Amino acid sequence: NKKAFVELLFWKSPAAVCEMTKGYSSLQEGEGTTRSRVPPWTPQQEQELRELYWKYKEVEGGDIIAAILAHLPAPGRTRRQVVKQLVRM
């Protein structure tokens, strides 16, 4: 590939480098960046998050996010994901 040097000018993830060296479309499904994606929030989960936020917002001296995580029915959500979603909403 005569234009590969242009690709080297920009930052690459390990998955992109593997794809460049082994040939494009060499990554199998579930490898590289696709497995690290966060599942999207459903409208039901957003509504539950909103309700939990309003419920624990007024609690004095407590960690709102910790309380939300303890009562959030969707397992596997991290503190960072909850904070990011609250800011987005």
Side-chain angles (χ1 to χ4, degrees):
N1 187 355
K2 294 179 181 180
K3 298 180 183 177
F5 67 92
V6 175
E7 290 191 31
L8 297 175
L9 296 175
F10 301 99
W11 181 259
K12 301 288 184 222
S13 68
V17 172
C18 178
E19 193 172 28
M20 284 175 58
T21 57
K22 293 183 180 178
Y24 293 101
S25 302
S26 64
L27 290 179
Q28 300 298 319
E29 187 65 32
E31 290 184 34
T33 58
T34 56
R35 69 176 165 190
S36 65
R37 292 194 182 184
V38 178
W41 289 80
T42 64
Q44 293 170 336
Q45 290 174 337
E46 286 182 358
Q47 181 63 30
E48 291 167 356
L49 182 63
R50 188 175 291 113
E51 290 171 3
L52 288 171
Y53 173 75
W54 286 108
K55 180 178 178 181
Y56 294 109
K57 182 180 121 174
E58 302 297 326
V59 176
E60 292 289 325
D63 185 11
I64 297 171
I65 304 302
I68 290 173
L69 280 171
H71 294 92
L72 197 63
R77 295 288 183 182
T78 64
R79 181 179 183 89
R80 176 180 236 159
Q81 291 170 351
V82 170
V83 169
K84 189 174 179 180
Q85 185 65 19
L86 283 171
V87 169
R88 191 187 71 74
M89 290 183 351

